[in-house]
Amino acid sequence: MSSILEKFEICDKIPKIQRQEIKLFHVFDDTQGYNILFVTNDNLVYGLGANTYGSLGLGHNREVEEPEIIDILSYRNIRQFINGFAFVLALTGDHMVYGWGHNDWGQLGREPTNDYYTPHRITIKSKQIVQLSCGTSHSLALTVDGEVYGWGRNTWGEIGVDDNICEGIFGSVRVEIPHYHKIMSVYSNNNTSFAITCEGFVYSWGRNDSHQLGHNIPDNYFKPHIIENLYNVQTMCTSTVNTFFLTNNGLLYFCGKYTNEDNVGFAFSPSNIRFYKETFEELGTIGSSSGFGTVVKVKRRYADDIFVVKIIEFKESNYEYMYKIFRELRCLVKIPSEYVVQYYNSWFEHKFLYIQLEYCSHTLKNIIALKGPEFARQQPGEPMKAIEYFISCEIFKELLECVQYLHDLNEGVVLRDLRSDNILIAENGRNGRYIKLSNFGCAIDDDDYDSERIYGSQDFGSLADSGQGGGGSHSVHTNKADIYSVGVIAQELFDMDIHDPNPLQKYLSHELIDNFAKLFKVFVSMMVDVSGQTSTCAQVIGQYYDWSIDKDLPQSCVGRESYDLIAIDMDNTLVKYNLKSTLPLIHSLIQKSLVHNYGYSHEIIEDFCPKYCQKGLVIDKRRGNVLKLNSEFGIMSVRHGFQELSSRSTREVYGGDDVVRDLRTIPDVLCLGTINTTESEGFDYAVLKSYFTSPAAQVFSKCVEVLDITDDNNVSDDNNLRNRYAKIWRDIHSSTCLMYGSGLKHRSGGWNPELMDTPDRYLRKTSDRVIQLLKMWRQSGKHVILITSSDADHTKLLMNYAFGGYHQWIRCFDYVLTFARKPTFFTSDRPFLAIDSGGNTTGEVAVNDLKCGQIYSEGNWRALKALVAKKCSKADPMCLYIGDSFTDDCIVPNKYVDCHTIGVVEELDEDIRQELDPNYWQSFLKDSDNNTTLWYHLLKRHTKLLVPDMDSLANYCQP
């Protein structure tokens, strides 16, 4: 941040020590000079500069020569500043808008009687705002639900409301963009306005005398119009007379006024109007519908790439029809291609919408028809053998995961028309997945809806009577409809009919009778019963290890074949800790750091209690709460301090759409972190990713309790109290980093010195069976690599103790990579660094120069995989990662780099569960009602196998 600030001369007036604390700043000019607004790490807001029209919000319009605090904005967690001509808007962390400065056209959302020198809140129809943009004298606001509001000058139509209103609009009004679009971002400049939809299309309105709006007629546009032939837009910028658009695939488009050596010209349209015919050659029609377009198989000209293009007539006057189109398109754009048919592109051309998609040549219906004969089942009535059953289990699991993922989205997607013939099979799987969903409820017309055709049962209408809808035939379109459909498809897949009087007859003397009996119960649970209660996909996946035979695979999958690269974590994977000793030590070190380094009262000191300690808990930094989430991102339990909130209080605090949206983003934010707790600027939640930071939950709860008791109502407002809670977590987080950062060379306190002095108190020896497993893998030609985020000194200390000496463990690995900084090891391109005998880095090492049996620092997965590919002469070697961190070792490697994973979950061991006292937070895996937790659900989605420890894996692989 400081290097960026140096580019602005006005920042020289900010004291250097204060510059280092700035987390957000905004520089702008007015008629008299430059101004800067900035926010520090403790959420104080300052202003400095010319201050014409009172644009710094300090209560006056005098020039400010040194930073002054803006009291009204401080402690409000400001996320965005944006300015027009001498007026400024600010967006807070609570989605509120404040405005101040020049107000001659009502650009501050109030009558233009005078300028406003202090910030005042702008109320926008009780909506929560996520983005702001300003023109010269008008303002736009984007709401959390994708609506756009505007206020201020409307001379050229820049508010986008009505051509009868050509003056100022002094209160917020909704911009009339069709409801079937959800807006992703808004932009404005001078007298123009733009909105980018979630699908990548652009609407524009306002002044168009230089064609800067991208429309051919050089006139004012008082209402939003879509820019034809422009698509896949990610972001844009606009000036007074021209506009640039950047697409997701890196192309830059232009419209507006331009000059060259000969003349001045105008670009009317930003794109090619014959893109389809010039890009693709049609190979044939796959299908068509009178109500919803034609699907064509195409080949890219001058290449061999095959795609599917869906061509749909654009009927803007038919609102319901357009709503269906853009709902499907939004689903395609936002859903990762590992779950659905891959979306590539979409564009408008001559009043038609074109959607380019992945081509899949097979459907699940084809596979079901071929599967029996391929596995020597000549007749449908013959029982399955183990291999066919296993493959069917994997298909069923992938299908459940795809449907559950769609249901878990913020705008949950109900497929409605799910059948085996619109479930596709990818030719090239991603992350080991091949099942693709291809329909989002828009491929059929409501007028032609036929529940028997879709669900294969006359009985499905009972769902409409189960309280899930408002009655009528269309109320069946709920999550339960999809679950029912998956159940019907699964019966086809396993050749079982639950309505058969004796569905298990052919398996009575079969080796798989127990598996089919459990599967039968699963199918029954997915059907709608009298009370309307069905299992969710997550609940069925949660029983995976009951009905599948995946647990019999490790020997063949991990033993002597399949994988070319096996990477293993160290802490709590290869080297086990004695949690009874380790957790109290961590708890004590964090407490001491808060008292000695951050001035906390000794009142926070208390003995460690294991019942408060569990990995996967979520810290709500600004509310002072600790949460536990279920597989559907709902709240299982929440505590403020040590006090559990009632169900009613929980709904009041966490029932808002913005809170639900934030909770759903936790896994993605967490996967970007680099340490044991996620810390993302502006994000209100942190997650305890492992047992090494789980004692922080007890420390946080105690500090919150002490703060609440000693506050004595001295806090000026709720926002100030929230910032004090957030500071507690920030100090705990810093203390944790300091604790693990104390090296072996510095023996004054910290984590490493304690381990070095008494390792037998905290560590357990690695068994001979695990050591033999590592040697067996290497002897069978696999590349075995130790990858740990611990530094080299710590790694040697632990491994020497656990394996009984340096030479006993170093020979078990091809390479040892320390300080890997997972999870970004898997997504970054950091270089490999050599290490000398003293543990110091000595410079970069090319990946091809890595030497067997050596210890290195940092590095990255992409280069490591390429090295193994070269050594084993395979373009895409099969990779496996084994570790205990649910994000760093399981979710990220599987989700981002196509790596299979095995998760080490201590809680699968009954003794460990009891040792951690599950009665307070209940189990890390499930609650007392058998509801799966979020992290256990994600672990099962992203791992091939879960084991309590490496010894269990060794037992699988070496029976």
Side-chain angles (χ1 to χ4, degrees), residues 74-138:
S74 293
Y75 302 112
R76 296 193 183 277
N77 194 20
I78 302 297
R79 295 189 176 184
Q80 182 192 10
F81 291 112
I82 192 76
N83 70 281
F85 174 71
F87 76 96
V88 183
L89 304 181
L91 178 64
T92 74
D94 293 327
H95 308 288
M96 295 186 292
V97 179
Y98 287 80
W100 63 94
H102 206 29
N103 191 48
D104 56 338
W105 288 93
Q107 55 265 53
L108 296 182
R110 51 176 62 86
E111 291 283 343
T113 54
N114 54 274
D115 298 332
Y116 289 82
Y117 295 161
T118 57
H120 287 74
R121 184 178 174 189
I122 302 174
T123 302
I124 304 170
K125 309 295 183 184
S126 301
K127 295 285 186 175
Q128 292 187 324
I129 306 303
V130 294
Q131 190 215 335
L132 300 168
S133 188
C134 297
T136 300
S137 301
H138 76 286

Side-chain angles (χ1 to χ4, degrees), residues 780-925:
S780 63
K782 303 180 190 304
H783 294 78
V784 183
I785 302 172
L786 177 65
I787 302 177
T788 174
S789 291
S790 296
D791 63 28
D793 287 338
H794 184 79
T795 300
K796 290 179 184 178
L797 169 65
L798 268 61
M799 294 295 286
N800 287 349
Y801 175 82
F803 280 68
Y806 179 78
H807 293 290
Q808 278 63 44
W809 68 270
I810 196 67
R811 66 184 62 174
C812 293
F813 304 98
D814 290 81
Y815 312 107
V816 175
L817 303 180
T818 63
F819 196 48
R821 296 202 283 178
K822 295 178 292 181
T824 55
F825 173 85
F826 295 100
T827 56
S828 72
D829 288 314
R830 280 193 295 269
F832 296 84
L833 304 177
I835 297 177
D836 62 21
S837 58
N840 303 306
T841 57
T842 59
E844 294 186 14
V845 180
V847 67
N848 290 326
D849 293 333
L850 296 183
K851 295 180 180 180
C852 187
Q854 295 292 310
I855 300 176
Y856 298 93
S857 181
E858 300 195 38
N860 66 87
W861 179 263
R862 182 188 59 80
L864 187 65
K865 184 178 178 181
L867 174 64
V868 172
K870 182 178 179 181
K871 287 184 175 294
C872 66
S873 300
K874 291 185 178 180
D876 188 20
M878 285 193 66
C879 303
L880 174 71
Y881 194 89
I882 306 169
D884 71 301
S885 171
F886 46 79
T887 52
D888 301 4
D889 301 328
C890 297
I891 298 175
V892 172
N894 180 251
K895 184 175 182 179
Y896 293 101
V897 295
D898 296 337
C899 180
H900 290 177
T901 63
I902 292 178
V904 176
V905 181
E906 305 95 322
E907 293 81 1
L908 291 173
D909 186 320
E910 179 63 28
D911 292 338
I912 294 292
R913 284 205 298 273
Q914 295 307 315
E915 187 176 307
L916 295 172
D917 189 358
N919 296 320
Y920 188 76
W921 283 110
Q922 300 192 32
S923 168
F924 168 74
L925 311 173

Side-chain angles (χ1 to χ4, degrees), residues 329-347:
L329 189 55
R330 274 202 305 276
C331 292
L332 286 166
V333 171
K334 72 182 179 180
I335 300 171
S337 59
E338 64 183 291
Y339 297 103
V340 303
V341 60
Q342 184 169 349
Y343 165 86
Y344 290 106
N345 206 350
S346 57
W347 65 96

Side-chain angles (χ1 to χ4, degrees), residues 29 34 57 59 114 179-180 202 213 241 282 373 411 441 475 562 597 617 630 645 647 700 704 714 738 858 888:
D29 63 349
Y34 282 94
N114 54 274
H179 283 282
Y180 48 75
V202 182
L213 295 182
V241 294
E282 292 187 354
E411 299 179 10
S475 63
S562 295
N597 298 323
L617 295 177
N630 65 26
L645 270 63
S647 298
F700 182 69
V704 168
N714 290 326
L738 183 65
E858 300 195 38
D888 301 4

Side-chain angles (χ1 to χ4, degrees), residues 50 125 223 274 336 364 396 433 496 678 715 889 923 937:
K125 309 295 183 184
K223 289 189 177 182
R274 293 178 54 82
L364 181 57
F396 184 33
R433 306 181 59 86
M496 179 189 293
T678 181
V715 179
D889 301 328
S923 168
H937 167 66

Side-chain angles (χ1 to χ4, degrees), residues 423-439:
I423 298 169
L424 305 182
I425 310 298
E427 295 185 4
N428 298 301
R430 179 182 173 191
N431 289 338
R433 306 181 59 86
Y434 292 88
I435 298 296
K436 300 268 190 171
L437 302 180
S438 65
N439 191 301

Side-chain angles (χ1 to χ4, degrees), residues 28-68:
F28 62 101
D29 63 349
D30 57 34
T31 56
Q32 302 299 317
Y34 282 94
N35 302 272
I36 183 171
L37 296 162
F38 62 88
V39 185
T40 59
N41 287 326
D42 52 3
N43 274 314
L44 294 174
V45 182
Y46 294 82
L48 169 68
N51 198 30
T52 311
Y53 302 103
S55 56
L56 292 179
L58 290 166
H60 59 80
N61 61 352
R62 301 183 299 276
E63 184 176 3
V64 180
E65 292 291 339
E66 59 184 32
E68 290 187 20

